[in-house]
């Protein structure tokens, strides 16, 4: 088993390097960048493409790129000034040199500073992480509390009316994007057009620090209802069907028929024998589920409910082309995701010691 863990850890190195290289190469050919952002501010939003405006029989042609210029909208700016901006952002070096320098710093978890917020990337991540972690942990807990009992009930009642109508609900949950359901919740319950039972934005109310601990807990839970519900609807469908199918597969095996023949009650058979084997794949996927909700699935939800978390940070970094934030968070969470996959494999062994990845690879 130790040899398997060592091989997986060593495989992380080229995997992270490849992911970073691919994304770095894509960014190099995508229009826009931090220099263009500064130029746009200095030139009051100079246009980035050729536009034709016709009126009164005359035609005016506005071009965002000067003849022979490197950046669109840079007319009238001193080339030396543009070069100074490039040097400030470290973009005066060749692309391959910038990439190698970046990866060298990332080995020591030195992610640099944000171009536009004058703060370290790690500091920004640590400040935003509690919001995303809070939302992700509660949502994951709710998803498992709903999906596992529902999946077991569907497996036991396979083919009944209960199974049919709950499957219809699951299909709707899979079809409707979480962010669209979030908008519907706002319209219905956050003062959009009907009721105003829940707050529209944020995780706390004004004056939160002056509240008692009990009032703070209630206020926090009150703010968490709508965003958690939106993520729950988008995440419970897959886990519910996975639980149902796992239980159905185990229920049809010979050891279940043997246990029933010995006179064991259906409840004892289901939870004493079937549950452990059927829940293997569900429990082992728990670390990956948390990471997925924490750092990917919540981005649009954070934007819609104005939650200042990692999703909103990544969105703003992509819009502004804040490369240190973009690549720093990509490196950190890619590494975290790969380690989580390894933890998921080890969880298989913890749940069922009969599994031996080391012997399988041998």
């Amino acid at each position: 088993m130790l040899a398997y863990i060592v091989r997986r850890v060593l495989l992380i190195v080229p995997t992270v390097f490849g992911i970073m290289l691919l994304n770095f190469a894509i960014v190099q050919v995508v229009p826009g960048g931090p220099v263009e952002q500064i130029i746009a501010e200095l030139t009051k939003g100079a246009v980035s493409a050729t536009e034709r405006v016709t009126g009164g029989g005359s035609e005016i042609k506005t071009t965002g790129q000067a003849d022979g210029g490197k950046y669109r909208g840079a007319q009238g700016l001193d080339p030396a000034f543009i070069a100074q901006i490039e040097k400030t952002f470290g973009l005066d070096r060749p692309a391959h040199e910038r990439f190698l320098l970046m990866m060298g710093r990332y080995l020591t978890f030195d992610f640099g500073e944000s171009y536009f917020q004058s703060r370290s990337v790690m500091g920004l991540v640590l400040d935003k992480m509690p919001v995303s972690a809070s939302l992700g942990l509660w949502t994951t807990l709710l998803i498992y509390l709903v999906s596992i009992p529902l999946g077991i009930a569907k497996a036991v009642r396979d083919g009944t009316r209960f199974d049919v109508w709950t499957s219809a609900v699951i299909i709707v949950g899979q079809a409707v994007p979480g962010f669209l359901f979030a908008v519907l919740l706002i319209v219905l319950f956050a003062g959009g057009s009907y009721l105003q039972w829940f707050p529209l934005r944020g995780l706390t109310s004004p004056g939160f620090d002056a509240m008692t601990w009990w009032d703070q807990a209630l206020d926090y839970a009150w703010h968490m209802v709508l965003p958690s519900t939106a993520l729950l609807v988008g995440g419970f469908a897959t886990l519910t069907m996975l639980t149902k199918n796992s239980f159905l597969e185990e229920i049809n095996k010979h050891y279940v028929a043997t246990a029933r023949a010995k006179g064991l009650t259906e409840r004892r058979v289901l939870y004493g024998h079937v549950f452990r084997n059927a829940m293997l794949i569900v429990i082992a996927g728990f670390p990956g589920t948390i990471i997925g909700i924490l750092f990917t699935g919540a981005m649009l939800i954070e934007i819609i409910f104005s939650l200042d978390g990692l999703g909103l940070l990544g969105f703003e970094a992509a819009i502004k082309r804040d490369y240190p934030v973009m690549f720093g968070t990509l490196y950190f969470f890619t590494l975290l995701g790969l380690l989580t996959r390894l933890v998921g494999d080890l969880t298989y062994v913890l749940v069922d010691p009969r599994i031996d990845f080391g012997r399988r690879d041998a």
Side-chain angles (χ1 to χ4, degrees), residues 302-314:
E302 289 183 8
I303 295 172
I304 291 172
F305 290 99
S306 300
L307 304 177
D308 194 13
L310 293 171
L312 187 59
L313 175 66

Side-chain angles (χ1 to χ4, degrees), residues 15 39 63 79 140 149 165 169 185 205 209 217 230 236 242 252 260 316 340:
T15 303
I39 291 174
T63 304
T140 303
W165 71 260
V169 174
L185 290 176
S205 299
D209 294 335
F236 88 104
L242 178 62
N252 294 324
R260 287 170 175 166
E316 292 177 345
T340 302

Side-chain angles (χ1 to χ4, degrees), residues 170-322:
I170 289 174
I171 291 174
V172 173
Q174 285 182 317
V176 178
F179 71 90
L180 188 60
F181 190 75
V183 174
L184 177 62
L185 290 176
I186 290 176
V187 172
L188 294 178
F189 303 112
S193 298
Y194 299 93
L195 305 173
Q196 194 168 2
W197 290 352
F198 300 99
L200 178 61
R201 63 186 66 216
L203 283 181
T204 58
S205 299
F208 179 81
D209 294 335
M211 299 179 183
T212 63
W213 70 268
W214 176 250
D215 289 335
Q216 287 181 341
L218 290 178
D219 182 73
Y220 169 76
W222 184 46
H223 283 76
M224 286 291 295
V225 170
L226 294 188
S228 297
T229 302
L231 285 173
L232 170 64
V233 170
F236 88 104
T238 301
L239 185 59
T240 299
M241 295 307 299
L242 178 62
T243 304
K244 176 191 174 182
N245 294 333
S246 298
F247 267 78
L248 281 177
E249 182 180 356
E250 294 297 323
I251 288 174
N252 294 324
K253 290 184 176 180
H254 293 298
Y255 76 88
V256 176
T258 303
R260 287 170 175 166
K262 291 181 178 180
L264 298 180
T265 63
E266 190 67 21
R267 183 178 183 85
R268 178 70 181 276
V269 171
L270 186 63
Y271 292 100
H273 295 272
V274 176
F275 186 83
R276 178 176 180 178
N277 294 327
M279 292 305 295
L280 174 62
I281 189 171
V282 176
I283 295 175
F286 184 75
T289 302
I290 293 180
I291 296 300
I293 294 176
L294 282 180
F295 308 120
T296 58
M299 184 187 76
L300 291 176
I301 302 299
E302 289 183 8
I303 295 172
I304 291 172
F305 290 99
S306 300
L307 304 177
D308 194 13
L310 293 171
L312 187 59
L313 175 66
F315 175 77
E316 292 177 345
I319 294 298
K320 295 179 179 179
R321 303 295 197 272
D322 197 343

Side-chain angles (χ1 to χ4, degrees), residues 30-176:
V30 172
V35 177
E36 287 87 338
Q37 296 284 336
I38 297 297
I39 291 174
E41 292 180 5
L42 293 175
T43 57
K44 304 299 182 180
V47 294
S48 61
T50 301
E51 297 179 353
R52 292 180 181 272
V53 182
T54 305
S58 61
E59 183 181 72
I60 302 174
K61 181 178 180 182
T62 306
T63 304
Q65 183 174 5
D67 294 338
K70 183 177 179 181
Y71 298 105
R72 297 178 183 271
Q75 305 96 321
L77 293 180
D78 187 357
F81 177 68
I82 300 298
Q84 181 62 38
I85 296 177
E86 290 181 336
K87 186 176 181 179
T88 300
F89 290 130
L91 300 176
D92 56 330
R93 301 171 181 267
H96 69 279
E97 186 176 342
R98 286 187 279 119
F99 176 75
L100 293 176
L101 289 173
M102 179 184 73
M103 294 303 297
R105 294 195 308 269
Y106 285 5
L107 290 177
T108 60
F109 292 94
D110 177 12
F111 301 130
E113 291 191 356
S114 167
Y115 286 158
F116 302 101
Q117 300 192 47
S118 299
R119 292 190 57 192
S120 68
V121 174
M122 184 59 72
L124 287 171
V125 170
L126 293 178
D127 282 349
K128 310 296 183 182
M129 186 174 289
V131 175
S132 296
S134 176
L135 182 60
L137 290 174
W138 283 112
T139 302
T140 303
L141 179 63
L142 289 175
I143 287 175
Y144 271 78
L145 289 177
V146 171
S147 299
I148 292 177
L150 181 59
I152 296 174
K154 285 176 65 62
V156 173
R157 299 172 177 82
D158 184 41
T160 63
R161 294 178 61 183
F162 172 82
D163 183 39
V164 173
W165 71 260
T166 52
S167 295
V169 174
I170 289 174
I171 291 174
V172 173
Q174 285 182 317
V176 178

Side-chain angles (χ1 to χ4, degrees), residues 1 4-5 8 144 276 279-290 339-357:
M1 189 63 188
Y4 172 78
I5 295 176
R8 286 291 300 271
Y144 271 78
R276 178 176 180 178
M279 292 305 295
L280 174 62
I281 189 171
V282 176
I283 295 175
F286 184 75
T289 302
I290 293 180
L339 291 174
T340 302
R341 293 290 298 273
L342 177 59
V343 172
D345 287 347
L346 298 179
T347 307
Y348 276 106
V349 179
L350 180 64
V351 175
D352 189 349
R354 294 173 298 175
I355 297 177
D356 189 346
F357 288 104

